[in-house]
Amino acid sequence: MPPTLILVRHAEALHNATKDYSLHDPELSELGRSQCRELKKNLMGKIPEELDVGLIVVSPMVRTIETALLAFGGLVDKGIPIHAHAGWQENSAKPCDTGSSVEKVAALFPQVDFSHIDPVFPDKRSPVGAKYAYNTQAIVRRAQDSLRELYNRPEKVIIVVSHSGFLRQGVTGHYFFNADYRIFDFEEPKDGNYTLKQWGSTSKGGLGWSWEKTVPIGEGLPEE
């Protein structure tokens, strides 16, 4: 049976607070750190009683890793592995959505396993980094590849900490506000296409902070 996915958007980062998208790979704001405490209080109460988490997957960017460690560090301390995965990074190639070198983030966050990361990261602009380009085809394909990997994992429940644009436009069609989460089960793949069915209890986000409305996958993304 494929795992249940808890998809989480990072908490508020400095570029969210300031609207300064020229900030490179920004860290969380003070409000963001407070939101992580709310996320931890809400979701950790369901773990492990209701949700048997076996893995945490995180976009290899500062704000997502900070969110994961602040909210779920207790799981990491108990031995739950946390893997950085380039497939779950944000869509655009703006400075705020472009990661730092693996050497830098690995030094900042030794708790995180970076051994599985695509060596192309954080390149999104060159031909070598084309799979991470900011266009519909690349983002939808990346989302499908990332879901396929998780579908075949042995864990019962996997937490993924990612970004609003990628989660909405590439993966689910749902809105995610800062630090909010939604829980999904995999539907049966059709023609190699992986789709998710949300738990009704998170229709407004697990914290109740997100919109219920949905959009088609790929909406708002530029063509190649």
Side-chain angles (χ1 to χ4, degrees):
M1 179 177 293
T4 294
L5 303 183
I6 305 173
L7 302 184
V8 184
R9 181 190 177 185
H10 64 81
E12 184 191 75
L14 294 178
H15 71 298
N16 302 129
T18 64
K19 307 301 182 186
D20 182 357
Y21 305 115
S22 69
L23 295 173
H24 178 239
D25 196 10
E27 63 183 22
L28 295 181
S29 67
E30 285 304 313
L31 175 59
R33 294 175 184 277
S34 175
Q35 290 170 339
C36 288
R37 292 191 287 272
E38 291 294 316
L39 172 61
K40 178 180 180 179
K41 180 180 178 181
N42 179 282
L43 190 50
M44 289 298 288
K46 302 178 175 67
I47 300 170
E49 288 81 1
E50 181 181 356
L51 297 165
D52 185 10
V53 174
L55 176 68
I56 302 168
V57 176
V58 62
S59 160
M61 301 183 72
V62 169
R63 61 188 181 271
T64 41
I65 298 173
E66 286 184 329
T67 298
L69 293 176
L70 287 171
F72 311 120
L75 295 176
V76 177
D77 291 342
K78 292 178 181 179
I80 301 299
I82 177 168
H83 293 176
H85 193 297
W88 293 92
Q89 65 183 295
E90 185 57 300
N91 292 342
S92 87
K94 295 176 182 177
C96 64
D97 292 334
T98 301
S100 305
S101 70
V102 172
E103 291 77 14
K104 178 179 178 179
V105 287
L108 290 172
F109 305 108
Q111 309 96 313
V112 179
D113 181 354
F114 287 88
S115 65
H116 307 274
I117 200 165
D118 187 341
V120 169
F121 180 84
D123 181 13
K124 294 182 177 184
R125 295 183 179 274
S126 78
V128 175
K131 71 170 84 172
Y132 302 107
Y134 182 44
N135 63 65
T136 303
Q137 183 178 12
I139 289 168
V140 172
R141 181 183 294 125
R142 171 157 65 93
Q144 284 293 300
D145 288 345
S146 298
L147 288 174
R148 183 180 301 107
E149 285 188 36
L150 297 187
Y151 184 89
N152 292 299
R153 295 283 313 188
E155 293 84 9
K156 292 181 181 179
V157 180
I158 298 173
I159 296 173
V160 180
V161 184
S162 185
H163 306 263
S164 62
F166 183 64
L167 290 173
R168 181 180 71 255
Q169 295 171 303
V171 181
T172 72
H174 292 279
Y175 284 84
F176 290 73
F177 282 28
N178 286 125
D180 212 353
Y181 69 93
R182 298 177 184 273
I183 304 176
F184 298 87
D185 290 315
F186 278 98
E187 297 186 298
E188 187 69 25
K190 296 180 180 179
D191 300 321
N193 186 49
Y194 291 81
T195 56
L196 301 172
K197 183 177 181 179
Q198 184 179 198
W199 287 22
S201 60
T202 63
S203 62
K204 295 181 180 179
L207 291 169
W209 294 349
S210 301
W211 291 336
E212 284 190 88
K213 67 180 182 179
T214 60
V215 299
I217 295 294
E219 181 175 279
L221 293 173
E223 295 302 319
E224 187 171 6

